[in-house]
Structures are given as structure tokens and as C-alpha cells.
Amino acid sequence: MPLSPASATGLDRLAPGRPRWLLWAVLVLLVAVLLGTLIWLAGRYEAERVQGQLELDATEAVGELRSGMSRNLQSLQTLQINDPSPNAWTIDAASILREHRELVRLEWRDEGLRIRSVVDTPFQPDLFERMGRDSAQSDVQQACVAAQRLSGPAYAPSYFLPTNNGMGVELMEMCLPLVSSGRRVGFLVASYSLQGLLDELSTRQPMRNHEISLTEGDGTRLAVWGAQRRGSRVFTAQQLLDLPGGTTLVLRLNSWRQAPDFFPNLLTALVAAMTLALVSILALLANDMRHRQRAERDLADALAFRKAMEDSLVTGLRARDLRGRITYVNPAFCEMVGFEAAELLGHGVPAPYWPPELVDEYQQRQAIRLAGNVPPREGYESVFMRKDGTRFPVLIIEAPLINAQGVQTGWMSAFVDISEQRRVQELSRASHERLQATARLAMVGEMASLLSHELNQPLAAISSYATGSVNLLQDPATDVDGLKADLALPLQRIAEQAERAGRVIKSVHDFVRRREQAREAVTAQALLDAILPLVSLQARKLGVQVDTVLWPDLPAVLCDKTMVEQVILNLARNAMQAMEQVSDDARVLTLSVALAPPEGTEPRVQFSVADRGPGISENVQQQLFTPFFTTKAEGMGLGLSLCRTVVEQHGGTLEYASNAPRGTVFTFSLPAAPLA
Ligand code: ADP
């Protein structure tokens, strides 16, 4: 089921193309707008609340001023009760002035506005010293005219009175007509200090935080009482103070707000906190998203890499659960057996790729595996069947499948199709055999002169016996009766010699003849007998004495006879050639066969070929078994390498050592044939 890694994991939904950053930008923008609006609304609400409070304070302040002034009026009216003497009046008036700092002067004037009695405030006694009281006469008049008209208290517009200290005060005259027994008897004139009025007002709690000022209708500031300015933002509220007599003052409150008052109430603080929380959450979310995306990307990469790896593997992979059902196969496995993954997944035993004739055997193997037996680490060979019915050899390496919790959930197997390997092995075996055959022929070629020499003797003997017989027949003196007896001996000799020649030829033929590789039980004696005629041929030529030493009661060996013969012959030939340079009497070749020292479980028979030659130099030793290495002019350098291969094929090793007192001894062992 070839799936692309992305669709296999559903990661394609995350595929690029959709501008994800745009969504984020819109989200962030929306949140920013929302929060901005919330903060703005909260700020506006707060401003309105502050403004409302200020308006309320202004109204209250004006009310306060009014009621203060009317309370003052009442106090002033009490001054005239019971027609006081000027002295008594002065005492009472002074006490009023002490209590009310906003009043700076009280005058009792007669009907012609002439002063009858006067008291100045004790706090600023020399107020009128600089300008004199007459400067305010017009204001007093204006107030009293109005008071007369209204028959009640009346206020004149305020005026500025410079004082001795170079400063000045804003004063306002109030005139109260005095009536006794229904007749006007004079006026009471009170001078108000506007600053004093504000000072009085500022003692009230809500006013302490504001700047309070009294201004004219056109905004000209007359008096001001200022609280400390604590902020950059100013709120203003103003109220009209209409006084009898047509005078109107404006009371103005200014309130400054500080920057921390940006969050002055719970709502704004809450909104701000929420904003912060929201922004932090957004940041966290974005961060989390980034991590998640990176993790997903890494995961997709890892998956794609794993998938690519699985797809490009030439080794077949298969996973099975503990009940033997196939849970996973890779493309290489599908290709190997020729089935689709869908046909294999979920399939139990017998698997569709098991050859029917081997199902029983495989089922047993499976049962052993499922019983918890761990298979050999190096794997085992088996035969599978393709969908088209063809069989092929596989190497299976199996291991338990352990999950993340350390629990075995099944078996994981790797498969290698070893058909090709087998074919190569077969080829190499065949070429090896051909090489052996060639080597044999080469050896025979080397021996050709020996052979001709060897055959010469019987042939010469046959020839001379034949000539003798012919001569006998042609000789007229030959006794016909005795002819039979005379010919019998030479003819018998001819037959013997022909047989001898035939044996020489047969030994060569037997050696050269190529046969299929086959293991058979052979006695050591038989092996030696087969090669001794050929060994003797060369031994005679080189003047070598051949000794054979055979232990008694040796078991037969299990071997490929032809190959082993070639090994012994080759070693014997090397040994004889090595002794060419030594003196005649020292040329001894010893072929011995003994029981090998016990090593493994099976008994082995050891063959050794010893010479008394010069030994093998260290230089030659290093390349001894290298194919085509030779020190001889006519040598091929294949002998020892082929010998070693043959010996190893029989489970042994070809070794060599120095022979005492001189020379070399080559040894190898062959497995003993089991006793029949
Ligand atoms: P070849 O006989 O064709 O040279 P071999 O593989 O049989 O090839 O031998 C390789 C070489 O090993 C020989 O050329 C010889 O130098 C050395 N060698 C083999 N057997 C002996 C021996 N018994 N004593 C000394 N040298 C030997």
C-alpha cells in the first residue's frame, strides 16, 4: 500500500499554501482593536465619572457659598437687635469678624451712608490703609441703592483693593438696609474678601483636591485657591453664583488627574489585566503553535525518512503479532514474494508464500517460535514460494518485537533472497571444479615425460618379447613341437607388460577423469594406493625414496576421493621437488596416516606429507597459499591454494611445520566415516 508519507499521517492538512500568518495577523489585529476599544471606553467612562463628580462638587460648593453667606446675613442682622449702642455694636461686630475670616470689615452707616461705627477684621487690620475707605464708596453706594430697592441685602460687583504689601485683595461689598419700627434707619455694610470665601470653602473635604476659583462672567479670574496639581489631565466644572443686587460670580473647579489615575477604577484595572492576560495567552499560544509546528515538521521528516528507508531497503521486512498474523510488510518483501501488501496483511498461518509441501515443517517451526524460543541470531535458511509458484531460497533473521513498554508484541523478521548468492556459489563451485580439473591436467602434462619413460619400459619389453617370439617362429631350426612351450613364456611376459602399461595409463586416466563431487567412505590405504603409482613415477625420476607409515586399525574417512587424492599427490610432488637439491641418500618422502588428536566430537584421521628439503623461507611462507604464487620456472602456483580449499571443504585446515631434522611437513585431517 504505497502511501506518501504526508497523506499517511494526515499531515497534508498542514501543507503550506494557506497563509497561516495572515490568520494570525487578523486575530492579533482583532484582539488589539477589541482591547483598544475596551481601554478607550473604560477611560471615557472614568473621565465622565470624574467630570460628573466635579460638577456635583461645584454645585455643592456654590450651595455652600450661598448658605454661608445667608448664615452670615443672619449673624449680621442680630447685630442690630435691641438698638445697640455704637460701643456694644463694635464689640459684637468684632466677634463676628473673628469668627468669619471672609468678612474683612463691618460698617454701620446712617441713612446718608455716613459711617456710624466700623470694625476691621483683626487678621488684616490695615487693609484700607493704602487706598482709604473712600475709594470703595461708589461700590458701597451701588450696593446700598440696590439694597434699598430690594429692601433686602444686595451685593455690589467685586473690586480690587491694592494693599500696603504691594499685593491686593478682591473685595465685594454687601449692603443690608436697617429698619426699625417700619422705618429705615441706616445700612449695615459688610466687605467680603473673595479669597476669604474660597479659603473657607477649601476647608470642606471634597474641595481639597481641586483648584477653586471665582471668576467674572467673562472668565476674568478674581480669586483662586489652589490645591496641588498632581496630573497632566485637567477636568473643569463651573457654576454661577447669582447674588442679590445683580452681581453674578462664576465658581470654577479644576481637577488635575495623574498618570496612575489612568487605571483609577476596578473596571479599567480589570480590562487592563484581561488585556495583559489575553496578550500573554496569545503569545503563549503562538509559541506553543510554533513548537507544535516544528514538532510536526520533524515528525513528518522522520516519517518520510523512515518510509524512504523502508521503501529503498532491499531486505524484506515482515512483522507478525503473537498469534502469527502478519501486521506489516515492506515493499521489498512484497516484491520478493510477489503478493500485494493487502493480500498479506492480517494473514495467519499457513502464509500464502509457504510452499505447500513444506507447510507442515514450517508450522512446526512457527509453533516453536510462538512458544517463545528465540531463533539463532545469525538467521536460518528457508524456502519460500512466489505467487507464480516458483520457489526461492531465503535467509531469515528473526527477533522479538518489543514495544515502548518493553512488552513483546510479536516477531520482526528480515528476509534476504539468496537465490543469486546460491547461483554465484554454484558458479564458483563449478569454476573451482574446472580449475581443479585443469590443475590435474597440468600435473599430468608435467608428468608426460615420466609417463612416456614409464610406458617405454613395458613397451620395450613387449617389443623385445614380440621380436624374440617372431624370431623363434621364423627360425627353421625351431622345434615345432617345442614351439608351444617356447612361445608360452614370452607371450605371458608380453601380457604382463601390456597389463603393466595399462595400469600406468589407468592410473593417469583415473586421476584425470572428472567426476561429480561426492562424499564416500574410503580407507586411507585405498587413497594412498590410488596415488602411489603416480608418486612412484616421479620418485623414480628424482631418485626419491618413498616411505608410507599407516597406523593399524584406522577408520575409513568420509571424503571426496578424487579431490583428496589430488591433495596428497600435490603435496607429495611439492615435497619431492623441494628435495631436488639435496644429496641422494637424504631424499626421503614420508607419507603417514594416523588418528588425529581428539579436538571436536567427531574423530578425524590425520594425513601428513614430510620431506627433508630446505624448508620454506619466511618470504615464501607469507604467500604460500596465494593463488599463482610459485618459485618454480614451470610451476602454476595453484597447487597449495586448491589443496587448502579442498581440505577446508572437508572441515579441516591445511597446516605446515618444520620437519626434524630438516625439511617441511604438511598435515591435514579428514572426518572419519561413521561405522557401518
Ligand atoms: P607450484 O608447485 O606450482 O609452484 P604450489 O602452490 O603447490 O605451486 O606451491 C607454491 C610454492 O610453495 C612453491 O613454488 C614452493 O616454492 C613452495 N613449496 C610448496 N611446498 C613446499 C615444500 N614442501 N618445501 C618447500 N617449499 C615448498
Side-chain angles (χ1 to χ4, degrees):
M1 186 165 44
L3 290 172
S4 80
S7 67
T9 57
L11 294 177
D12 50 352
R13 276 178 280 120
L14 298 172
R18 192 172 302 174
R20 192 196 300 269
W21 64 267
L22 196 72
L23 291 179
W24 273 103
V26 171
L27 182 64
V28 168
L29 199 75
L30 276 178
V31 169
V33 168
L34 181 74
L35 293 178
T37 314
L38 266 177
I39 290 176
W40 179 73
L41 281 177
R44 220 180 69 158
Y45 169 79
E46 181 58 20
E48 274 171 11
R49 202 184 60 79
V50 171
Q51 185 65 41
Q53 185 61 46
L54 204 62
E55 301 281 355
L56 219 64
D57 286 353
T59 317
E60 203 176 299
V62 167
E64 197 70 38
L65 278 180
R66 272 209 191 92
S67 63
M69 285 166 123
S70 61
R71 269 198 309 277
N72 286 355
L73 206 59
Q74 283 169 9
S75 311
L76 294 176
Q77 276 167 345
T78 57
L79 276 180
Q80 298 310 126
I81 294 174
N82 300 332
D83 259 340
S85 67
N87 268 350
W89 184 91
T90 311
I91 293 168
D92 287 348
S95 100
I96 288 178
L97 286 178
R98 267 195 305 278
E99 280 170 30
H100 297 277
R101 279 171 170 253
E102 68 272 25
L103 292 173
V104 293
R105 188 184 177 98
L106 291 178
E107 292 168 345
W108 183 6
R109 296 197 179 212
D110 63 14
E111 270 177 283
L113 285 178
R114 281 176 300 273
I115 295 175
R116 287 185 63 190
S117 269
V118 59
V119 182
D120 279 311
T121 176
F123 306 107
Q124 287 166 292
D126 52 354
L127 205 59
F128 289 95
E129 214 167 71
R130 184 167 168 209
M131 299 300 292
R133 181 56 182 164
D134 291 345
S135 64
Q137 189 61 26
S138 61
D139 294 283
V140 174
Q141 242 167 14
Q142 190 184 340
C144 288
V145 168
Q148 222 169 324
R149 196 177 64 243
L150 297 172
S151 303
Y155 295 80
S158 67
Y159 62 93
F160 184 74
L161 177 73
T163 52
N164 271 346
N165 56 6
M167 314 267 282
V169 289
E170 192 75 22
L171 295 183
M172 182 175 67
E173 301 297 340
M174 189 276 286
C175 187
L176 178 70
L178 300 176
V179 179
S180 175
S181 322
R183 203 170 55 85
R184 190 166 55 247
V185 289
F187 298 96
L188 183 73
V189 175
S191 304
Y192 269 99
S193 155
L194 294 191
Q195 189 64 48
L197 277 174
L198 293 185
D199 288 346
E200 273 303 298
L201 197 58
S202 69
T203 56
R204 310 268 161 198
Q205 181 58 31
M207 302 301 149
R208 291 213 173 133
N209 297 326
H210 309 316
E211 184 193 72
I212 320 162
S213 56
L214 283 170
T215 64
E216 286 179 1
D218 62 2
T220 312
R221 187 180 273 192
L222 303 173
V224 59
W225 181 90
Q228 207 184 356
R229 294 186 179 195
R230 285 184 305 155
S232 53
R233 192 168 171 195
V234 62
F235 291 85
T236 302
Q238 42 192 31
Q239 283 287 325
L240 290 181
L241 176 62
D242 288 321
L243 295 172
T247 299
T248 301
L249 290 173
V250 177
L251 181 85
R252 187 185 167 104
L253 293 188
N254 283 338
S255 177
W256 276 270
R257 293 272 146 178
Q258 273 182 338
D261 281 2
F262 188 63
F263 304 123
N265 65 4
L266 193 61
L267 176 67
T268 326
L270 214 65
V271 167
M274 266 173 54
T275 310
L276 266 177
L278 209 59
V279 168
S280 320
I281 286 173
L282 262 182
L284 283 176
L285 260 178
N287 198 30
D288 182 63
M289 189 72 103
R290 232 187 15 257
H291 278 120
R292 198 173 282 253
Q293 272 178 341
R294 193 177 315 144
E296 279 171 353
R297 223 178 18 250
D298 288 354
L299 193 67
D301 284 354
L303 268 175
F305 176 66
R306 216 192 73 177
K307 189 90 185 82
M309 225 164 58
E310 282 172 12
D311 290 351
S312 56
L313 261 186
V314 288
T315 310
L317 293 179
R318 179 200 64 192
R320 286 190 299 189
D321 63 15
L322 287 173
R323 288 162 60 193
R325 276 186 318 220
I326 299 175
T327 52
Y328 168 80
V329 281
N330 75 340
F333 184 80
C334 294
E335 202 178 317
M336 211 178 271
V337 293
F339 285 95
E340 292 287 319
E343 294 175 87
L344 296 174
L345 289 177
H347 211 296
V349 286
Y353 44 80
W354 285 2
E357 67 275 14
L358 294 170
V359 163
D360 287 345
E361 186 189 321
Y362 287 7
Q363 231 147 12
Q364 274 171 13
R365 194 169 67 194
Q366 175 102 341
I368 292 171
R369 188 81 64 254
L370 294 184
N373 290 356
V374 180
R377 277 195 78 81
E378 65 278 8
Y380 54 91
E381 287 184 17
S382 189
V383 175
F384 276 2
M385 183 177 74
R386 295 196 185 89
K387 199 177 184 180
D388 61 11
T390 50
R391 309 320 198 235
F392 65 100
V394 279
L395 177 71
I396 308 178
I397 299 161
E398 210 154 34
L401 194 63
I402 312 285
N403 70 4
Q405 283 75 45
V407 180
Q408 181 179 356
T409 57
W411 294 92
M412 188 76 210
S413 321
F415 299 85
V416 184
D417 183 344
I418 50 173
S419 326
E420 184 59 15
Q421 204 173 318
R422 280 281 164 80
R423 203 176 63 80
V424 172
Q425 271 175 1
E426 183 54 35
L427 268 180
S428 112
R429 194 186 59 78
S431 59
H432 188 255
E433 270 176 18
R434 272 201 296 281
L435 207 58
Q436 295 270 16
T438 315
R440 275 200 297 276
L441 285 176
M443 206 182 275
V444 171
E446 273 176 43
M447 293 180 189
S449 63
L450 296 176
L451 273 176
S452 61
H453 171 75
E454 189 70 6
L455 286 175
N456 252 349
Q457 283 182 8
L459 289 178
I462 288 170
S463 160
S464 57
Y465 281 125
T467 316
S469 303
V470 169
N471 288 343
L472 202 62
L473 283 174
Q474 287 173 346
D475 190 356
T478 306
D479 174 16
V480 178
D481 292 339
L483 189 64
K484 211 171 161 186
D486 289 344
L487 279 180
L489 188 68
L491 286 178
Q492 194 186 336
R493 291 279 180 270
I494 288 173
E496 278 173 14
Q497 292 302 322
E499 195 183 331
R500 185 178 157 199
R503 268 208 308 278
V504 171
I505 291 183
K506 184 171 180 295
S507 69
V508 175
H509 173 76
D510 276 355
F511 180 68
V512 173
R513 190 178 49 153
R514 186 179 176 279
R515 291 169 315 167
E516 280 307 308
Q517 192 175 3
R519 297 274 166 103
E520 55 188 309
V522 205
T523 60
Q525 187 65 61
L527 282 172
L528 292 188
D529 286 349
I531 51 129
L532 271 175
L534 294 173
V535 171
S536 315
L537 274 180
Q538 198 162 19
R540 264 200 297 282
K541 178 175 177 217
L542 297 173
V544 174
Q545 177 194 328
V546 180
D547 289 350
T548 52
V549 183
L550 252 98
W551 276 25
D553 304 328
L554 278 174
V557 290
L558 193 64
C559 68
D560 182 331
K561 190 165 169 267
T562 322
M563 294 290 186
V564 173
E565 279 170 9
Q566 189 172 347
V567 170
I568 303 172
L569 190 63
N570 202 75
L571 294 176
R573 187 198 57 154
N574 275 354
M576 289 187 284
Q577 285 174 343
M579 290 186 290
E580 268 177 328
Q581 308 299 326
V582 302
S583 59
D584 287 358
D585 56 335
R587 294 184 190 164
V588 182
L589 167 71
T590 316
L591 301 175
S592 39
V593 189
L595 208 60
E599 263 178 27
T601 45
E602 56 173 20
R604 297 180 74 86
V605 176
Q606 180 169 285
F607 292 74
S608 40
V609 180
D611 63 66
R612 297 193 190 168
I616 306 173
S617 73
E618 214 167 284
N619 210 7
V620 174
Q621 278 182 20
Q622 285 172 3
Q623 311 176 66
L624 201 61
F625 295 105
T626 313
F628 303 109
F629 168 77
T630 179
T631 56
K632 302 167 195 165
E634 75 289 4
M636 275 177 71
L638 278 174
L640 284 181
S641 97
L642 288 173
C643 287
R644 187 169 67 169
T645 315
V646 171
V647 169
E648 283 172 0
Q649 277 171 357
H650 287 81
T653 39
L654 179 61
E655 289 163 347
Y656 61 93
S658 302
N659 191 21
R662 55 190 307 236
T664 316
V665 52
F666 277 84
T667 50
F668 66 92
S669 67
L670 297 176
L675 292 172

